[in-house]
Amino acid sequence: MIGIFDSGVGGMTVARAIERVCPGYPLLYFGDIARTPYGSKSPETIREYSRRNTDFLLSHGATIIVIACNSAASTATDALRSEYDVPVLDVITPATLKAAAATRNNRIGIIGTRATVRSEIYRERIESIHPGCTVISQACPLLVPLVEEGWLNRRETKMILRRYLHPLKLQQIDTLVLGCTHYPLLGKLIQPRIGKRVQLIDSSVEVARYLKEYLDKNKDINNKLKKENPTSRFFVSDSTGPVRKLADRIFGRNIHLEKVNA
Ligand code: DGL
């Protein structure tokens, strides 16, 4: 199974994108709702949670891991790759490649959690792919809790977004990376506030495309993962009303969330 984890529901935007871009694979999702948000935690804590999530997914049949959380990917990818003997794909690499290819004026904005922005991983990666590119990052710590609460179209959310996006607008970016898998759920609010000429790069969609390329290239892994009638499972470490609603909304169908003490 393809194991996917996030601190909460954000990674479901990745799972949904994977269903669309590479159908036919059973998914095993783990959302660590009990410990969300990760973005405000220390690197040591994020690494410890990421190991725990990976152990959970592997013990339930995952044979490949997709880190569907930018906060975890920016902090724990190297540790997971060196400690586990399975392929580990991270949500950040594909988005950096896409952003570097997309920009025309070489000014790219990144929005993400504090952990992701503090890691500087987007800036370092984009500058190494595309030297001469200016990367401007903005931490948006209030957005994950707003999304987890289901406040996707509230006046307060719009106000906070305007505040976060204003400095990036002043910098005349032409490309904006949604460097957190919760943010695609706010895409419709973000686009008019950053400007309609700015291209949004959705890290969830990009990692799904990247996974497809990976599976196309690695036939042996692909053959073991592909199933005639794939059945996916969605686990969470806590389950609340807003989270259940959001899961159904992301997939456009009823999603059975299995609560576990992980
Ligand atoms: N969806 C996670 C990300 O991509 C949110 C992280 C958090 O819990 O802070 O960064």
Side-chain angles (χ1 to χ4, degrees):
M1 294 180 97
I2 299 177
I4 303 167
F5 78 82
D6 178 46
S7 64
V9 289
M12 287 185 193
T13 63
V14 174
R16 181 69 180 129
I18 292 175
E19 273 192 353
R20 286 204 173 121
V21 177
C22 14
Y25 300 91
L27 309 181
L28 190 63
Y29 185 84
F30 180 70
D32 199 7
I33 311 279
R35 296 173 192 87
T36 195
Y38 282 9
S40 325
K41 310 269 186 324
S42 70
E44 298 71 39
T45 301
I46 297 174
R47 273 193 286 273
E48 185 198 316
Y49 291 170
S50 300
R51 285 188 188 104
R52 211 188 308 191
N53 299 343
T54 305
D55 288 338
F56 177 84
L57 291 170
L58 295 179
S59 70
H60 283 75
T63 50
I64 179 168
I65 299 292
V66 177
I67 310 178
C69 172
N70 286 261
S71 305
S74 64
T75 314
T77 301
D78 291 346
L80 297 188
R81 285 201 180 127
S82 69
E83 292 166 23
Y84 294 88
D85 199 17
V86 292
V88 176
L89 271 56
D90 72 279
V91 71
I92 292 176
T93 306
T96 56
L97 294 169
K98 176 74 180 188
T103 184
R104 293 288 159 257
N105 73 356
N106 296 340
R107 300 182 70 75
I108 298 175
I110 309 292
I111 50 173
T113 64
R114 278 214 181 92
T116 301
V117 169
R118 180 184 56 211
S119 76
E120 301 253 35
I121 190 161
Y122 272 102
R123 193 179 55 72
E124 283 166 14
R125 293 262 181 93
I126 291 173
E127 285 176 1
S128 79
I129 306 168
H130 191 337
C133 211
T134 303
V135 177
I136 305 120
S137 309
Q138 173 72 46
C140 307
L142 295 173
L143 298 186
V144 168
L146 288 168
V147 170
E148 295 272 330
E149 267 310 304
W151 283 31
L152 303 183
N153 202 20
R154 295 275 190 120
R155 199 165 53 89
E156 294 85 345
T157 310
K158 293 177 189 168
M159 244 165 56
I160 290 167
L161 269 175
R162 202 170 302 123
R163 185 86 179 248
Y164 282 145
L165 295 173
H166 184 65
L168 294 171
K169 223 175 156 175
L170 292 180
Q171 293 284 337
Q172 301 187 324
I173 56 164
D174 74 348
T175 306
L176 177 66
V177 179
L178 307 184
C180 170
T181 54
H182 283 70
Y183 300 173
L185 295 164
L186 298 171
K188 284 207 179 89
L189 300 188
I190 293 171
Q191 187 75 73
R193 283 163 187 82
I194 191 66
K196 61 178 188 306
R197 290 210 184 86
V198 174
Q199 183 174 348
L200 301 189
I201 307 291
D202 179 339
S203 60
S204 303
V205 171
E206 295 312 320
V207 73
R209 292 188 179 136
Y210 194 80
L211 174 66
K212 178 158 185 3
E213 276 172 34
Y214 180 86
L215 293 173
D216 287 346
K217 273 190 219 141
N218 293 277
K219 294 281 180 233
D220 48 332
I221 298 178
N222 185 37
N223 294 342
K224 279 188 205 137
L225 284 170
K226 194 131 188 145
K227 292 278 173 298
E228 286 266 316
N229 294 306
T231 308
S232 297
R233 294 182 76 181
F234 297 86
F235 292 97
V236 284
S237 53
D238 198 4
S239 174
T240 62
V243 161
R244 286 193 293 272
K245 251 198 193 155
L246 215 49
D248 293 350
R249 180 174 171 158
I250 292 168
F251 285 89
R253 63 175 194 268
N254 188 260
I255 293 293
H256 173 57
L257 295 182
E258 302 180 52
K259 183 174 173 310
V260 283
N261 291 321

